[in-house]
Amino acid sequence: MSFPAMNNGRQTPAVETAADSNLSAFSFISKGWREVRDSADADLRLMKDRANSFKNIAASFDREIENLINSATPTFTVPPIRQSSEIEFMKKLHPKISEFRRVYSAPEISRKVMEKCGPRANLGIDLSRIRSTIAAEVYGTMEEDMKGIIEFNNVRSEKLNEEGQFGEWEPIRVLKTRFREFEKKNSTVEIFAGLKNNEFVEKVKSSLKAICKEPQESKEVPPLDVPELLAVLVRQSGPFLDQFGIRRNLCDKIVENLCSKRKNQLVLHSLVAGEPPAVDPDKINDELDLRIASVLQSTGHCSESGGSRTDFMKPDVTDRKRHVAIVTTASLPWMTGTAVNPLFRAAYLAKSEKQKVTLLVPWLCRSDQELVYPNNLTFCSPEEQENYIRNWLEERVGFKADFRISFYPGKFSRERRSIIPAGDTSQFIPSKDADIAILEEPEHLNWYHHGKRWTDKFNHVVGIVHTNYLEYIKREKNGALQAFFVKHINNLVTRAHCHKVLRLSAATQDMPKSVICNVHGVNLKFLKIGEKVAAERELGQQAFSKGAYFLGKMVWAKGYKELIDLLAKHKNDLDGFKLDVYGNGEDAHEVQSTAKRLDLNLNFQKGRDHADDSLHGYKVFINASVSDVLCTATAEALAMGKFVVCADHPSNEFFSSFPNCLTYKTPEDFVAKVKEALANEPQPLTPEQRYNLSWEAATKRFIEYSELDRILNNEHSSTTIRKSNGKLIARSVSMPTLSEMVDGGIAFAHYCLTGNEFLRLCTGAIPGTRDFGRQHCKDLHLLPPQVESPIYGCYL
């Protein structure tokens, strides 16, 4: 009984479920139909918009063609036959464009496209027939003078492309390709000659100039391309390839071929400027240098001096003056050659006012000053010593010398009896003034130099060799062995740090890159004394009331040993001969004791200035030294009109041409020359002889033999080139030669060795001279070396 009731209860939910399902299916079908309809409508609107866009593009192109015809018709001045043929071509082209516009802008195009391609198809237009027609017209009617029209059309098309109006049309691309092929087959010189005065062509010229302008004029410099990089590599490898027998002209041809792209641009540039299309290989090289320099400068990389990496003209030449830095190893009041002669050189170089001059001299602490400077003279500050130096100089040159005096830290070595630089001496010349360096005694300055290489910091470095160190060393214990090592060390350091080396005489060792020339003069004061003596003799007065004398630092190596030996050996031959000796020095007591022990007639006096009034009355100056390179006292005695008796030695070769210089070869000859000088009167100097002894002549010789005349007269060195607009730009660095690479290796090895304190001490350096000490920092107001060059990880 209950079963039918249960069955009826299950039928009612089944009927309701079927109805809901039918409703959902109908809703889904309706929704899908709406989406299809909306999608189709969107596709139709899109195609319609594209058709309208193409219609506008065709109309725009039609207007451009009409404007081109209208602008070209009144401006062409070529013969009428060619003009008509060109216009006919444009007229034939115009109907085809108009027909093309009408056909593809018709309303039926959307329906045809839909029927053929379906609702999702992209719009595609077959332009093959139009392309074929235009290409045929171009092939049949194209002539030489049409190049200006097409160039103008290309410029206009490129402008439109940049504005984003439409992409490059296929027929126009064909036109461009055909005319490029035509350009290669025909000479462009005649075309430009025929259209030279055409206004239309003038516009094309201005466009070409804008296209062909040099990359350096643009704000953004394009990078070097592969051919340019290869050209630079081949050109800089010339010295290296030359070692393998590859000739330089072959390298030049390779560079020229690699630079063909730049050559073509130069040809086109010359044609636009109305010049013959000739390309100079040197111009190609200059253009390549400009490209390299501009690319390097565009990187913004700066060197120590604040300029670009290729800015080798380190000093600021806006004032049209070069900078000369003279670095020496001694300073007044120490009356030695390396203190006096560089001072005069700085004064007379600054006198010309063609260059700015800085004299860099050592500063000694108070304890070292007491050992070196005479008469217990000391200075509390560099400014005080500078005033002393300037006052001493102005009293002797007679004019105010406009140059700067700077100081670097130095320490006095008792064993070597000389001043050794402490720290990097080159750092005391600012990078902006690092132009030309004159190193007085370059071997001495660089024995223990641990700093920047001079030739890397300065454009031109000249070394002047003052001292014959080998002669001094040979007198010491194991002197021959020491001299052997010192000789090669001197050669290495001068080769690594100098471009040119001047030797005052042949008495010095032969060094690389060296020439022999006396570049020292005598003070004007001595020449005036000589003129006064000559005037007194003309008036019949007695100019000389005293006999013979010698003046020099009292150390054995300064000729005292040779002098005492000669006088002791011929004491009887020179009976009654008396010699006054003036000088101070470390060996003074020993020299005087030896002379007293040998019972020599020598009268020792304290050292004094050679221009002192007490020395004017002597007639004969005797110098027996064979260790000097060029004795300054000998030149001063000749300038004062005295006789000079000296050895026949390379150090006296410059003086031997003067009639008052009496040279001897043997001890017996020495006795004869002394007697001859005492018995006769010296000859007055001629104006030419006085000039040869002057600092004016010495400065002229120095500028000539050091090649400073070429450096100073050339306002912009070979490291710069001038662009067509007059702007200067630095030339790129050429690959160093094999010799320069060896010099660089020597400098690097020397830098490494001098950085080791143990090796420095083994070779005789003063302890603590790799860097300057606290006292120097206090006196010169310097930061401690640990602050300027900190060693990270160490607590100081």
Side-chain angles (χ1 to χ4, degrees):
M1 289 287 175
S2 62
F3 182 79
M6 292 177 61
N7 188 26
N8 289 337
R10 291 181 181 176
Q11 273 184 340
T12 302
V15 173
E16 292 176 357
T17 303
D20 293 340
S21 176
N22 292 335
L23 258 158
S24 300
F26 180 79
S27 175
F28 175 78
I29 293 171
S30 176
K31 182 179 180 182
W33 173 252
R34 284 195 303 271
E35 290 177 355
V36 171
R37 185 183 58 185
D38 294 340
S39 177
D41 292 340
D43 292 340
L44 289 174
R45 284 195 301 270
L46 178 60
M47 290 195 309
K48 184 178 179 180
D49 293 340
R50 290 183 177 177
N52 291 334
S53 176
F54 191 83
K55 178 182 176 180
N56 295 334
I57 291 172
S60 176
F61 184 79
D62 190 21
R63 287 194 300 271
E64 291 297 331
I65 295 295
E66 290 176 357
N67 293 336
L68 176 61
I69 294 173
N70 294 334
S71 62
T73 302
T75 56
F76 266 73
T77 57
V78 295
I81 297 176
R82 293 186 177 181
Q83 182 178 0
S84 61
S85 62
E86 293 157 357
I87 298 176
E88 282 298 324
F89 166 72
M90 301 308 298
K91 288 181 178 181
K92 290 179 182 180
L93 183 62
H94 180 251
K96 294 178 177 57
I97 299 300
S98 301
E99 181 181 356
F100 167 78
R101 177 176 56 82
R102 288 195 298 271
V103 171
Y104 283 92
S105 62
E108 294 82 3
I109 187 171
S110 299
R111 185 178 65 257
K112 293 181 181 180
V113 171
M114 286 291 295
E115 293 174 354
K116 184 176 180 181
C117 302
R120 291 292 181 179
N122 293 326
L123 179 63
I125 302 175
D126 186 9
L127 304 179
S128 60
R129 293 185 179 181
I130 297 176
R131 179 180 61 187
S132 303
T133 303
I134 294 178
E137 288 291 340
V138 171
Y139 241 84
T141 61
M142 183 175 57
E143 293 182 7
E144 294 177 354
D145 293 346
M146 283 298 296
K147 184 181 178 205
I149 299 174
I150 300 304
E151 288 292 335
F152 180 80
N153 192 16
N154 290 342
V155 175
R156 295 293 296 271
S157 299
E158 292 175 1
K159 183 177 180 182
L160 291 174
N161 290 339
E162 293 174 356
E163 293 174 357
Q165 295 183 11
F166 59 88
E168 189 177 42
W169 192 32
E170 183 67 15
I172 300 302
R173 188 186 65 79
V174 174
L175 282 174
K176 292 180 180 180
T177 305
R178 298 299 184 187
F179 275 104
R180 288 193 188 101
E181 294 176 357
F182 181 75
E183 290 174 11
K184 296 178 181 179
K185 299 179 181 179
N186 296 274
S187 173
T188 57
V189 180
E190 297 179 0
I191 296 176
F192 280 96
L195 303 177
K196 185 175 181 180
N197 298 322
N198 194 302
E199 181 182 356
F200 176 78
V201 176
E202 292 299 327
K203 296 180 181 179
V204 177
K205 284 183 179 180
S206 61
S207 300
L208 289 174
K209 289 180 179 179
I211 296 172
C212 300
K213 66 183 180 180
E214 297 178 356
Q216 287 80 2
E217 300 297 332
S218 62
K219 294 182 180 179
E220 295 184 1
V221 180
L224 297 175
D225 52 22
V226 175
E228 289 174 329
L229 290 173
L230 292 176
V232 174
L233 178 62
V234 172
R235 191 181 64 176
Q236 292 187 351
S237 301
F240 178 74
L241 296 175
D242 186 57
Q243 304 293 332
F244 297 94
I246 300 177
R247 293 177 298 177
R248 186 61 179 267
N249 57 354
L250 180 60
C251 295
D252 293 339
K253 290 181 180 179
I254 296 175
V255 172
E256 185 177 354
N257 292 333
L258 291 173
C259 296
S260 59
K261 179 180 179 180
R262 299 293 298 172
K263 185 193 298 184
N264 293 336
Q265 290 184 358
L266 287 174
V267 171
L268 186 58
H269 184 75
S270 62
L271 289 174
V272 172
E275 301 174 355
V279 179
D280 186 3
D282 293 335
K283 193 172 183 179
I284 289 289
N285 290 330
D286 288 343
E287 290 294 324
L288 182 60
D289 291 330
L290 285 171
R291 283 278 296 125
I292 298 169
S294 63
V295 171
L296 288 176
Q297 288 181 347
S298 68
T299 61
H301 181 75
C302 295
S303 62
E304 178 187 357
S305 59
S308 64
R309 180 169 181 161
T310 56
D311 185 13
F312 296 105
M313 299 298 294
K314 299 180 182 65
D316 181 10
V317 293
T318 53
D319 56 358
R320 316 301 293 177
K321 287 187 178 183
R322 306 297 294 271
H323 297 259
V324 179
I326 302 176
V327 187
T328 186
T329 57
S331 176
L332 294 179
W334 189 10
M335 298 300 297
T336 184
T338 52
V340 175
N341 292 310
L343 181 61
F344 282 116
R345 195 183 330 280
Y348 281 90
L349 281 175
K351 184 181 180 181
S352 65
E353 297 183 354
K354 291 183 179 180
Q355 56 277 327
K356 293 183 177 180
V357 180
T358 299
L359 178 64
L360 189 62
V361 298
W363 167 260
L364 300 178
C365 298
R366 177 66 67 89
S367 57
D368 286 338
Q369 292 182 27
E370 294 173 353
L371 294 175
V372 177
Y373 299 153
N375 303 323
N376 296 323
L377 185 61
T378 58
F379 305 97
C380 297
S381 66
E383 292 77 14
E384 183 180 351
Q385 185 172 1
E386 179 179 350
N387 292 333
Y388 176 89
I389 294 172
R390 292 190 182 278
N391 294 334
W392 185 92
L393 178 65
E394 290 179 8
E395 291 177 1
R396 287 157 177 78
V397 298
F399 61 87
K400 186 174 180 62
D402 185 15
F403 66 94
R404 185 173 61 185
I405 299 178
S406 299
F407 294 85
Y408 68 88
K411 291 187 177 182
F412 180 71
S413 173
R414 295 189 179 185
E415 295 76 13
R416 298 181 182 272
R417 296 174 180 173
S418 59
I419 298 174
I420 303 297
D424 180 11
T425 310
S426 65
Q427 75 179 81
F428 295 93
I429 299 295
S431 295
K432 63 184 180 65
D433 297 337
D435 185 12
I436 300 170
I438 301 172
L439 305 184
E440 310 278 353
E441 293 196 316
E443 71 279 40
H444 185 158
L445 285 170
N446 292 294
W447 277 334
Y448 305 105
H449 175 70
H450 182 68
K452 193 166 186 178
R453 186 183 177 191
W454 292 95
T455 52
D456 287 344
K457 184 169 184 176
F458 291 83
N459 293 320
H460 190 65
V461 182
V462 181
I464 303 177
V465 181
H466 288 249
T467 309
N468 188 2
Y469 287 105
L470 301 184
E471 186 66 29
Y472 294 143
I473 293 174
K474 289 178 182 178
R475 301 169 185 263
E476 300 177 359
K477 184 179 180 181
N478 299 322
L481 181 60
Q482 294 186 53
F484 173 80
F485 287 108
V486 171
K487 176 181 178 181
H488 292 286
I489 292 174
N490 290 346
N491 286 337
L492 292 176
V493 296
T494 54
R495 175 176 178 173
H497 291 281
C498 296
H499 293 116
K500 195 77 175 180
V501 177
L502 301 182
R503 299 160 54 200
L504 297 179
S505 70
T508 61
Q509 71 177 84
D510 189 12
M511 291 185 176
K513 310 174 186 178
S514 66
V515 293
I516 298 175
C517 179
N518 175 22
V519 293
H520 287 176
V522 297
N523 186 0
L524 180 63
K525 190 173 184 179
F526 295 104
L527 294 172
K528 290 182 177 180
I529 294 173
E531 293 176 356
K532 179 182 178 182
V533 169
E536 292 176 353
R537 293 181 58 186
E538 288 181 359
L539 296 175
Q541 300 177 4
Q542 184 179 3
F544 302 110
S545 58
K546 301 179 182 179
Y549 75 106
F550 174 63
L551 180 144
K553 184 178 180 181
M554 199 167 294
V555 293
W556 285 113
K558 285 293 184 179
Y560 284 92
K561 182 178 184 304
E562 290 82 1
L563 179 62
I564 289 178
D565 289 344
L566 287 171
L567 294 178
K569 185 175 182 179
H570 298 279
K571 182 168 56 174
N572 296 330
D573 297 332
L574 294 173
D575 187 27
F577 173 72
K578 181 181 178 181
L579 181 67
D580 294 335
V581 179
Y582 296 87
N584 301 318
E586 295 84 352
D587 298 334
H589 178 72
E590 188 176 352
V591 169
Q592 295 176 16
S593 301
T594 303
K596 186 176 181 180
R597 177 171 52 82
L598 295 175
D599 194 22
L600 300 179
N601 195 6
L602 296 178
N603 181 26
F604 291 96
Q605 303 285 341
K606 289 185 178 181
R608 61 193 65 182
D609 194 334
H610 205 173
D612 191 84
D613 294 340
S614 61
L615 303 179
H616 293 178
Y618 288 98
K619 184 170 66 171
V620 181
F621 177 77
I622 296 179
N623 183 12
S625 175
V626 291
S627 61
D628 285 332
V629 173
L630 188 77
C631 184
T632 303
T634 300
E636 293 170 349
L638 288 174
M640 289 187 288
K642 306 178 186 294
F643 273 124
V644 171
V645 178
C646 58
D648 186 5
H649 188 261
S651 61
N652 299 318
E653 184 177 357
F654 177 81
F655 307 124
S656 60
S657 60
F658 291 84
N660 293 335
C661 181
L662 307 178
T663 60
Y664 62 89
K665 296 182 179 180
T666 62
E668 292 75 15
D669 197 16
F670 168 77
V671 176
K673 297 298 181 182
V674 170
K675 291 181 177 181
E676 178 183 351
L678 293 174
N680 298 287
E681 291 295 325
Q683 300 180 17
L685 295 177
T686 64
E688 181 181 0
Q689 291 170 346
R690 282 196 297 269
Y691 175 76
N692 290 336
L693 289 172
S694 68
W695 265 106
E696 286 83 356
T699 304
K700 183 178 180 180
R701 292 192 299 267
F702 169 74
I703 292 176
E704 177 184 356
Y705 280 84
S706 64
E707 300 179 357
L708 249 64
D709 54 347
R710 176 179 58 83
I711 302 296
L712 294 175
N713 293 333
N714 188 11
E715 295 181 358
H716 305 289
S717 69
S718 60
T719 58
T720 60
I721 48 182
R722 186 180 296 273
K723 295 173 61 176
S724 58
N725 61 359
K727 184 180 178 181
L728 286 172
I729 191 168
R731 188 186 295 273
S732 57
V733 189
S734 60
M735 182 176 180
T737 62
L738 182 61
S739 177
E740 291 172 344
M741 294 174 65
V742 172
D743 294 346
I746 294 172
F748 178 75
H750 179 260
Y751 177 84
C752 294
L753 294 174
T754 54
N756 186 285
E757 186 66 20
F758 175 75
L759 294 177
R760 293 173 65 93
L761 296 178
C762 291
T763 54
I766 302 176
T769 54
R770 189 184 67 176
D771 299 309
F772 41 83
R774 293 182 179 180
Q775 188 60 44
H776 281 120
C777 293
K778 181 179 178 181
D779 295 343
L780 299 176
H781 307 291
L782 302 174
L783 291 175
Q786 296 84 355
V787 176
E788 292 189 351
S789 302
I791 302 176
Y792 296 100
C794 297
Y795 295 91
L796 303 178

